[in-house]
Short mmCIF file of all heavy atoms in Angstrom, two decimals:
data_model
loop_
_atom_site.label_atom_id
_atom_site.label_comp_id
_atom_site.label_asym_id
_atom_site.label_seq_id
_atom_site.Cartn_x
_atom_site.Cartn_y
_atom_site.Cartn_z
N VAL A 1 -0.97 3.91 -20.94
CA VAL A 1 -0.21 4.78 -20.06
C VAL A 1 1.20 4.21 -19.93
O VAL A 1 1.59 3.64 -18.91
CB VAL A 1 -0.88 4.92 -18.68
CG1 VAL A 1 -0.16 5.99 -17.85
CG2 VAL A 1 -2.34 5.29 -18.83
N ASP A 2 1.94 4.35 -20.99
CA ASP A 2 3.28 3.73 -21.08
C ASP A 2 4.30 4.85 -21.29
O ASP A 2 4.99 4.91 -22.28
CB ASP A 2 3.31 2.74 -22.25
CG ASP A 2 4.59 1.93 -22.28
OD1 ASP A 2 5.32 1.95 -21.28
OD2 ASP A 2 4.86 1.28 -23.30
N TYR A 3 4.39 5.75 -20.29
CA TYR A 3 5.19 6.95 -20.47
C TYR A 3 6.68 6.73 -20.31
O TYR A 3 7.49 7.53 -20.75
CB TYR A 3 4.73 8.04 -19.49
CG TYR A 3 4.96 7.70 -18.04
CD1 TYR A 3 6.07 8.18 -17.35
CD2 TYR A 3 4.06 6.90 -17.35
CE1 TYR A 3 6.27 7.87 -16.03
CE2 TYR A 3 4.25 6.59 -16.03
CZ TYR A 3 5.36 7.08 -15.36
OH TYR A 3 5.57 6.75 -14.05
N GLN A 4 7.09 5.65 -19.66
CA GLN A 4 8.52 5.35 -19.50
C GLN A 4 8.78 3.87 -19.77
O GLN A 4 9.64 3.27 -19.14
CB GLN A 4 9.00 5.73 -18.10
CG GLN A 4 9.07 7.23 -17.85
CD GLN A 4 9.59 7.56 -16.46
OE1 GLN A 4 9.68 6.71 -15.59
NE2 GLN A 4 9.92 8.82 -16.24
N GLU A 5 8.02 3.32 -20.69
CA GLU A 5 8.12 1.90 -20.99
C GLU A 5 8.03 1.07 -19.72
O GLU A 5 8.84 0.19 -19.45
CB GLU A 5 9.41 1.59 -21.75
CG GLU A 5 9.49 2.25 -23.12
CD GLU A 5 10.70 1.84 -23.91
OE1 GLU A 5 11.52 1.08 -23.37
OE2 GLU A 5 10.82 2.26 -25.07
N MET A 6 7.03 1.39 -18.92
CA MET A 6 6.85 0.69 -17.66
C MET A 6 6.53 -0.78 -17.91
O MET A 6 5.68 -1.09 -18.73
CB MET A 6 5.74 1.35 -16.84
CG MET A 6 6.07 2.75 -16.36
SD MET A 6 4.79 3.40 -15.29
CE MET A 6 3.40 3.47 -16.39
N LYS A 7 7.18 -1.63 -17.18
CA LYS A 7 6.98 -3.07 -17.34
C LYS A 7 6.57 -3.70 -16.00
O LYS A 7 6.71 -3.11 -14.95
CB LYS A 7 8.26 -3.73 -17.85
CG LYS A 7 8.83 -3.13 -19.13
CD LYS A 7 7.86 -3.26 -20.30
CE LYS A 7 8.44 -2.65 -21.57
NZ LYS A 7 7.49 -2.69 -22.69
N ASN A 8 6.08 -4.91 -16.11
CA ASN A 8 5.77 -5.73 -14.94
C ASN A 8 4.74 -5.09 -14.01
O ASN A 8 4.81 -5.25 -12.79
CB ASN A 8 7.05 -6.04 -14.15
CG ASN A 8 8.09 -6.74 -14.99
OD1 ASN A 8 7.77 -7.63 -15.77
ND2 ASN A 8 9.34 -6.32 -14.84
N LEU A 9 3.79 -4.38 -14.58
CA LEU A 9 2.68 -3.85 -13.79
C LEU A 9 1.50 -4.79 -13.95
O LEU A 9 1.08 -5.09 -15.06
CB LEU A 9 2.31 -2.44 -14.26
CG LEU A 9 3.35 -1.35 -14.01
CD1 LEU A 9 2.87 -0.02 -14.58
CD2 LEU A 9 3.65 -1.20 -12.52
N GLY A 10 0.95 -5.21 -12.83
CA GLY A 10 -0.10 -6.21 -12.89
C GLY A 10 -1.50 -5.68 -12.67
O GLY A 10 -2.47 -6.43 -12.81
N SER A 11 -1.64 -4.39 -12.31
CA SER A 11 -2.97 -3.87 -12.02
C SER A 11 -2.98 -2.36 -12.20
O SER A 11 -1.94 -1.70 -12.28
CB SER A 11 -3.38 -4.21 -10.58
OG SER A 11 -2.57 -3.49 -9.66
N LEU A 12 -4.20 -1.81 -12.24
CA LEU A 12 -4.34 -0.36 -12.35
C LEU A 12 -3.88 0.33 -11.08
O LEU A 12 -3.37 1.45 -11.12
CB LEU A 12 -5.79 -0.01 -12.66
CG LEU A 12 -6.36 -0.59 -13.95
CD1 LEU A 12 -7.79 -0.11 -14.17
CD2 LEU A 12 -5.49 -0.22 -15.15
N GLU A 13 -4.06 -0.34 -9.94
CA GLU A 13 -3.57 0.24 -8.69
C GLU A 13 -2.05 0.39 -8.70
O GLU A 13 -1.50 1.41 -8.26
CB GLU A 13 -3.99 -0.64 -7.51
CG GLU A 13 -5.47 -0.63 -7.20
CD GLU A 13 -6.28 -1.62 -8.04
OE1 GLU A 13 -5.69 -2.28 -8.94
OE2 GLU A 13 -7.49 -1.74 -7.81
N GLU A 14 -1.36 -0.62 -9.24
CA GLU A 14 0.10 -0.54 -9.35
C GLU A 14 0.50 0.58 -10.31
O GLU A 14 1.50 1.28 -10.07
CB GLU A 14 0.66 -1.87 -9.83
CG GLU A 14 0.61 -2.99 -8.81
CD GLU A 14 1.25 -4.26 -9.34
OE1 GLU A 14 2.18 -4.17 -10.15
OE2 GLU A 14 0.79 -5.35 -8.94
N LEU A 15 -0.24 0.74 -11.39
CA LEU A 15 0.05 1.80 -12.34
C LEU A 15 -0.04 3.17 -11.67
O LEU A 15 0.85 4.02 -11.82
CB LEU A 15 -0.93 1.73 -13.51
CG LEU A 15 -0.96 2.94 -14.45
CD1 LEU A 15 0.37 3.13 -15.16
CD2 LEU A 15 -2.09 2.80 -15.46
N ALA A 16 -1.13 3.40 -10.93
CA ALA A 16 -1.33 4.69 -10.26
C ALA A 16 -0.21 4.95 -9.26
O ALA A 16 0.33 6.07 -9.19
CB ALA A 16 -2.69 4.73 -9.57
N GLN A 17 0.15 3.95 -8.48
CA GLN A 17 1.19 4.13 -7.48
C GLN A 17 2.55 4.38 -8.13
O GLN A 17 3.33 5.22 -7.67
CB GLN A 17 1.26 2.91 -6.56
CG GLN A 17 2.16 3.12 -5.34
CD GLN A 17 1.69 4.27 -4.48
OE1 GLN A 17 0.52 4.30 -4.05
NE2 GLN A 17 2.57 5.24 -4.24
N ARG A 18 2.85 3.67 -9.21
CA ARG A 18 4.12 3.86 -9.91
C ARG A 18 4.21 5.29 -10.47
O ARG A 18 5.27 5.91 -10.42
CB ARG A 18 4.25 2.85 -11.04
CG ARG A 18 5.49 3.02 -11.92
CD ARG A 18 6.76 2.55 -11.24
NE ARG A 18 6.72 1.11 -11.06
CZ ARG A 18 7.04 0.23 -12.01
NH1 ARG A 18 7.45 0.66 -13.21
NH2 ARG A 18 6.99 -1.06 -11.75
N PHE A 19 3.11 5.78 -11.01
CA PHE A 19 3.09 7.13 -11.58
C PHE A 19 3.43 8.17 -10.50
O PHE A 19 4.26 9.06 -10.72
CB PHE A 19 1.72 7.42 -12.19
CG PHE A 19 1.63 8.72 -12.93
CD1 PHE A 19 2.06 8.82 -14.24
CD2 PHE A 19 1.11 9.85 -12.32
CE1 PHE A 19 1.99 10.02 -14.94
CE2 PHE A 19 1.02 11.06 -13.01
CZ PHE A 19 1.46 11.14 -14.31
N ILE A 20 2.79 8.04 -9.34
CA ILE A 20 3.05 8.97 -8.23
C ILE A 20 4.48 8.82 -7.72
O ILE A 20 5.19 9.81 -7.49
CB ILE A 20 2.05 8.74 -7.09
CG1 ILE A 20 0.62 9.00 -7.57
CG2 ILE A 20 2.40 9.63 -5.90
CD1 ILE A 20 0.34 10.42 -8.03
N ASP A 21 4.93 7.59 -7.56
CA ASP A 21 6.30 7.34 -7.07
C ASP A 21 7.34 7.91 -8.02
O ASP A 21 8.34 8.51 -7.57
CB ASP A 21 6.53 5.84 -6.89
CG ASP A 21 5.75 5.25 -5.72
OD1 ASP A 21 5.23 6.04 -4.91
OD2 ASP A 21 5.65 4.01 -5.65
N ASP A 22 7.13 7.75 -9.32
CA ASP A 22 8.09 8.26 -10.30
C ASP A 22 8.16 9.78 -10.26
O ASP A 22 9.23 10.38 -10.38
CB ASP A 22 7.73 7.78 -11.71
CG ASP A 22 8.05 6.31 -11.93
OD1 ASP A 22 8.70 5.71 -11.05
OD2 ASP A 22 7.66 5.78 -12.98
N TYR A 23 6.99 10.40 -10.10
CA TYR A 23 6.99 11.87 -10.01
C TYR A 23 7.75 12.33 -8.77
O TYR A 23 8.57 13.26 -8.84
CB TYR A 23 5.57 12.40 -9.96
CG TYR A 23 5.52 13.87 -9.59
CD1 TYR A 23 5.79 14.85 -10.53
CD2 TYR A 23 5.24 14.26 -8.27
CE1 TYR A 23 5.78 16.20 -10.19
CE2 TYR A 23 5.25 15.60 -7.93
CZ TYR A 23 5.51 16.56 -8.88
OH TYR A 23 5.52 17.89 -8.54
N GLU A 24 7.47 11.71 -7.62
CA GLU A 24 8.10 12.15 -6.38
C GLU A 24 9.61 11.91 -6.41
O GLU A 24 10.39 12.71 -5.88
CB GLU A 24 7.45 11.45 -5.19
CG GLU A 24 5.99 11.90 -4.99
CD GLU A 24 5.36 11.34 -3.74
OE1 GLU A 24 5.88 10.35 -3.20
OE2 GLU A 24 4.33 11.90 -3.30
N ALA A 25 10.03 10.82 -7.05
CA ALA A 25 11.46 10.57 -7.19
C ALA A 25 12.10 11.64 -8.07
O ALA A 25 13.21 12.13 -7.78
CB ALA A 25 11.70 9.18 -7.78
N SER A 26 11.41 12.03 -9.13
CA SER A 26 11.93 13.07 -10.02
C SER A 26 11.97 14.42 -9.33
O SER A 26 12.93 15.19 -9.47
CB SER A 26 11.05 13.15 -11.28
OG SER A 26 11.48 14.18 -12.14
N ALA A 27 10.91 14.74 -8.56
CA ALA A 27 10.86 16.01 -7.84
C ALA A 27 11.95 16.10 -6.77
O ALA A 27 12.49 17.17 -6.51
CB ALA A 27 9.49 16.19 -7.21
N GLU A 28 12.27 14.97 -6.15
CA GLU A 28 13.32 14.95 -5.13
C GLU A 28 14.70 15.12 -5.76
O GLU A 28 15.56 15.81 -5.22
CB GLU A 28 13.26 13.64 -4.34
CG GLU A 28 14.29 13.56 -3.22
CD GLU A 28 14.17 12.29 -2.41
OE1 GLU A 28 13.18 11.53 -2.62
OE2 GLU A 28 15.06 12.04 -1.58
N GLU A 29 14.90 14.48 -6.91
CA GLU A 29 16.20 14.56 -7.58
C GLU A 29 16.42 15.92 -8.23
O GLU A 29 17.55 16.43 -8.28
CB GLU A 29 16.30 13.47 -8.63
CG GLU A 29 17.66 13.39 -9.31
CD GLU A 29 17.77 12.22 -10.26
OE1 GLU A 29 16.80 11.44 -10.38
OE2 GLU A 29 18.84 12.08 -10.89
#
């Protein structure tokens, strides 16, 4: 799950949260 060359993720929980955060940031912008 490397859709934006995500780096420095240490767990699956961090991956899930980053995915949601990136979407919400995109939807806001």
Side-chain angles (χ1 to χ4, degrees):
V1 188
D2 188 13
Y3 65 98
Q4 289 181 347
E5 296 186 357
M6 293 185 296
K7 305 298 180 184
N8 302 318
L9 292 177
S11 68
L12 300 183
E13 290 85 356
E14 288 183 31
L15 168 63
Q17 190 60 54
R18 175 75 67 83
F19 186 82
I20 298 298
D21 290 346
D22 286 352
Y23 169 79
E24 293 186 342
S26 178
E28 182 177 352
E29 184 175 359

